[in-house]
């Protein structure tokens, strides 16, 4: 953490905390009244001048108090990283939200993005695990009607995709089971990214039968769809009101820029990998997320599991960092325990 005198550290924390809660410039009088520091107002003003010269706070108007800068927010977040916790009630809310889930990966991740957004009043996001990090556990095939079979793909983290296979010929339930057994014996443990182009040894029994080829074609098509880069976002509208309140003249421009960033999913994934720079655990990018248009936003992110998945929240510079950090950390651990139980 940046080295500044202890009293100035305390004053800076109080300025950031008060600005996040009240969204108004903070004066030396407010600090003395709200926090009861046993120093004179002149001492507080001098400390605030030093903090301003160091780039931690700024004065938006000549006669106003101070507001945090990006550097000030970063100092505050560094201090919060070791302190963040969510309440017992919030933990219960999260557990109940997952309690009735099926192990459908997409559904769990969508629910996680919703919880991130709802609990932080920001935009929550989840980036699914990479296909090259996830392995096929098994496929499930069952006959729905003549010449129609339902296909379910399960990876080592749960249900990945499902769809229907239209066969050229009708198969009995026993024959469908045989096709399923052939695929599972040959493909279990193969990375999902390799399943589509997997080649079996020449002469392998049953692999050139029509139903098997048709099932493999659908399997490959579903996995090809699954392998495209994607980000699940929830709660984008949570940011509209605070932007309108704090920066009314620029609110629409900020929101439109963020919306464009969200739409470019591959670009967002590339940027967040670059922003994390190989770091593990919670990472906070405050006004420096490497995409044009994100200078007015902070991104809190954390990895989950060992499959390359990431999750987090996007909020304004004045977001509630304590809640964002604690919620992101807890949900990352919770999602990891659901997808990768020990």
């Amino acid at each position: 953490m940046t080295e500044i005198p202890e009293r100035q550290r305390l004053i800076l924390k109080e300025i950031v905390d008060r600005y996040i809660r009240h969204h108004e410039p903070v004066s030396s009088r407010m600090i003395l009244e709200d926090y009861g520091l046993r120093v004179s107002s002149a001492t507080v003003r001098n400390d605030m001048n030093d903090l301003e010269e160091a780039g931690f706070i700024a004065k938006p108007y000549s006669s106003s108090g101070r507001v945090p800068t990006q550097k000030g927010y970063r100092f505050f977040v560094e201090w919060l990283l070791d302190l963040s916790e969510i309440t017992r009630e919030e933990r219960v809310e999260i557990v109940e939200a997952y309690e009735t889930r099926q192990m459908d990966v997409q559904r769990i991740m969508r629910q996680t993005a919703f919880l991130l957004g709802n609990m932080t009043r920001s935009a929550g996001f989840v980036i699914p695990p990479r296909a090259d990090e996830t392995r096929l556990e098994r496929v499930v095939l069952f006959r729905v009607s003549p010449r129609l079979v339902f296909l379910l793909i399960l990876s080592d983290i749960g249900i990945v995709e499902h769809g229907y296979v239209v066969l050229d010929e009708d198969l009995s339930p026993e024959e469908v089971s045989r096709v399923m057994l052939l695929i599972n014996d040959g493909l279990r443990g193969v990375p999902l990214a390799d399943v589509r182009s997997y080649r079996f040894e020449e002469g392998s029994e049953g692999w050139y039968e029509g139903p098997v080829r048709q099932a493999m074609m659908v399997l490959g098509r579903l996995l090809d769809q699954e392998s495209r880069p994607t980000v699940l976002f929830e709660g984008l509208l949570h940011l509209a009101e605070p932007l309108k309140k704090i920066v009314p003249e620029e609110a629409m421009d900020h929101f439109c820029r963020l919306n464009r960033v969200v739409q470019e999913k591959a670009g967002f994934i590339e940027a967040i990998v670059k922003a994390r720079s190989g770091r593990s655990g919670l990472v906070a990018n405050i006004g420096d997320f490497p995409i044009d248009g994100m200078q007015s936003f902070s991104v809190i992110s954390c990895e989950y599991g060992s499959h390359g998945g990431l999750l987090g929240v996007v909020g304004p510079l004045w977001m509630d960092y304590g809640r964002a950090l604690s919620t992101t950390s807890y949900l990352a651990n919770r999602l990891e325990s659901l997808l990768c139980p020990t």
Side-chain angles (χ1 to χ4, degrees), residues 3-218:
E3 287 300 322
I4 57 176
E6 184 61 34
R7 189 178 62 241
Q8 290 184 13
R9 289 157 67 100
L10 178 59
I11 290 172
L12 177 55
K13 291 170 190 173
E14 291 170 351
I15 291 173
V16 178
D17 178 62
R18 196 181 200 286
Y19 187 77
I20 287 172
R21 289 188 291 110
H22 299 290
H23 307 306
E24 61 182 14
V26 182
S27 67
S28 58
R29 180 181 56 81
M30 291 174 181
I31 290 176
L32 287 169
E33 289 178 355
D34 289 359
Y35 299 98
L37 294 179
R38 297 187 178 184
V39 294
S40 68
S41 59
T43 299
V44 174
R45 283 196 298 272
N46 287 336
D47 284 337
M48 291 175 72
N49 286 335
D50 290 343
L51 289 169
E52 185 174 358
E53 287 181 11
F56 291 102
I57 56 178
K59 184 184 286 188
Y61 312 108
S62 59
S63 60
S64 69
R66 268 58 164 212
V67 299
T69 62
Q70 291 181 6
K71 185 177 179 181
Y73 282 123
R74 290 188 190 113
F75 173 88
F76 187 71
V77 169
E78 286 177 20
W79 172 68
L80 281 173
L81 279 171
D82 295 329
L83 304 177
S84 302
E85 247 181 47
I86 63 174
T87 65
R88 180 181 178 279
E89 290 76 15
E90 289 169 331
R91 287 195 180 101
V92 170
E93 178 186 341
I94 291 169
V95 171
E96 287 178 346
Y98 285 127
E99 208 164 30
T100 58
R101 96 279 185 255
Q102 299 293 321
M103 278 304 289
D104 183 323
V105 176
Q106 287 293 320
R107 188 178 303 172
I108 290 174
M109 292 181 183
R110 180 69 69 185
Q111 180 68 25
T112 302
F114 172 80
L115 285 168
L116 283 163
N118 199 49
M119 294 181 68
T120 63
R121 308 312 294 171
S122 298
F125 68 86
V126 177
I127 300 174
R130 299 191 301 267
D132 58 344
E133 297 280 351
T134 312
R135 295 181 179 274
L136 184 71
E137 179 65 25
R138 68 183 186 278
V139 300
V140 176
L141 290 170
F142 59 87
R143 186 176 182 273
V144 178
S145 63
R147 297 179 54 220
L148 185 65
V149 171
F150 183 74
L151 168 65
L152 188 68
I153 306 170
L154 293 101
S155 74
D156 52 358
I157 61 171
I159 298 172
V160 173
E161 271 293 355
H162 52 76
Y164 291 95
V165 182
V166 180
L167 301 174
D168 291 334
E169 56 185 293
D170 189 23
L171 297 180
S172 67
E174 292 76 18
E175 290 171 316
V176 171
S177 294
R178 177 174 173 273
V179 171
M180 180 173 67
L181 184 63
L182 279 168
I183 294 175
N184 286 331
D185 284 348
L187 290 177
R188 182 175 283 114
V190 173
L192 293 185
D194 298 337
V195 167
R196 187 169 181 268
S197 58
Y198 196 80
R199 295 288 181 267
F200 295 93
E201 293 181 12
E202 188 174 351
S204 297
E205 185 180 355
W207 278 103
Y208 295 96
E209 296 177 10
V212 177
R213 290 200 307 273
Q214 288 169 293
M216 285 297 296
M217 182 179 67
V218 174

Side-chain angles (χ1 to χ4, degrees), residues 323-335:
R323 179 172 289 274
L325 290 165
S326 56
T327 302
T328 299
S329 176
Y330 187 80
L331 279 167
N333 290 330
R334 184 67 184 163
L335 186 57

